[in-house]
Amino acid sequence: MQKAQDAGKYHVYVFEGGSRSGKTYGLIHFFLIYALQNPSLQTRIAIARKKATWLFATLWVDFVNILNSTGLMQYCKVNNTLHTVQLFSTTFTFVGLDDAQKLHGLTTDIVWINEAMEATKTDFDQLEQRTSRFSVLDYNPSAEQHWIYDSVCQRPDCYFDHS
């Protein structure tokens, strides 16, 4: 993803791959490196999944485990109630797409929709219009037809990767 981002021509990044292909861990590492390389750049990163309970049972756990295993946790401020992590000047906010009240007030620099095939096009559109830098979608391909293929992957500002 770093090379694609450095190219400066993409606004949305799509990562498709089977279970255990490394998408989630790779993206977590990318965002942590992004935070480390930009320690004074105020950045808000929203990490979303269709249902908050699924997000907190999966991605939140993986994120915290990676912070612990890399030794980065000592540099973080973690709010387990609000599900936020601040690493230097980057704030990661974990939000379920089923929490409409949180979404309508959300403004962010970067948004990552994990397991994006669960989300609706409206979910994506709502988040993308509140995002100033770029959007990331990842998913396991579970459908032959989907709004991601028709509305996102066809865009000239879309980077697509299959792992």
Side-chain angles (χ1 to χ4, degrees), residues 2 7 29 31 51 76 91 99 103 108 112 115 123 131 140:
Q2 188 63 53
H29 282 99
F31 285 120
K51 295 195 181 275
C76 293
T91 302
D99 189 346
L103 290 178
T108 190
W112 169 19
E115 299 299 346
D123 292 332
T131 302
N140 299 323

Side-chain angles (χ1 to χ4, degrees), residues 32-143:
L32 293 175
I33 291 167
Y34 187 93
L36 292 170
Q37 289 178 338
N38 299 285
S40 60
L41 179 63
Q42 294 289 323
T43 303
R44 297 161 302 179
I45 300 174
I47 301 174
R49 189 168 174 186
K50 185 64 178 176
K51 295 195 181 275
T53 54
W54 299 343
L55 178 70
F56 303 139
T58 58
L59 195 54
W60 172 260
V61 172
D62 290 342
F63 196 89
V64 169
N65 286 341
I66 289 172
L67 287 173
N68 282 318
S69 69
T70 59
L72 290 173
M73 185 60 88
Q74 65 183 322
Y75 304 106
C76 293
K77 294 177 187 169
V78 178
N79 185 318
N80 288 305
T81 303
L82 297 176
H83 290 98
T84 61
V85 174
Q86 184 172 345
L87 176 60
F88 302 118
S89 62
T90 300
T91 302
F92 298 91
T93 301
F94 291 74
V95 61
L97 299 175
D98 53 348
D99 189 346
Q101 193 169 27
K102 237 184 194 178
L103 290 178
H104 288 282
L106 183 70
T107 58
T108 190
D109 299 302
I110 301 165
V111 66
W112 169 19
I113 303 176
N114 178 245
E115 299 299 346
M117 283 204 158
E118 300 166 349
T120 66
K121 183 174 183 319
T122 301
D123 292 332
F124 173 71
D125 290 343
Q126 287 294 317
L127 288 171
E128 188 178 39
Q129 74 182 1
R130 291 173 170 80
T131 302
S132 63
R133 294 188 200 155
F134 62 88
S135 304
V136 176
L137 307 174
D138 84 274
Y139 58 88
N140 299 323
S142 58

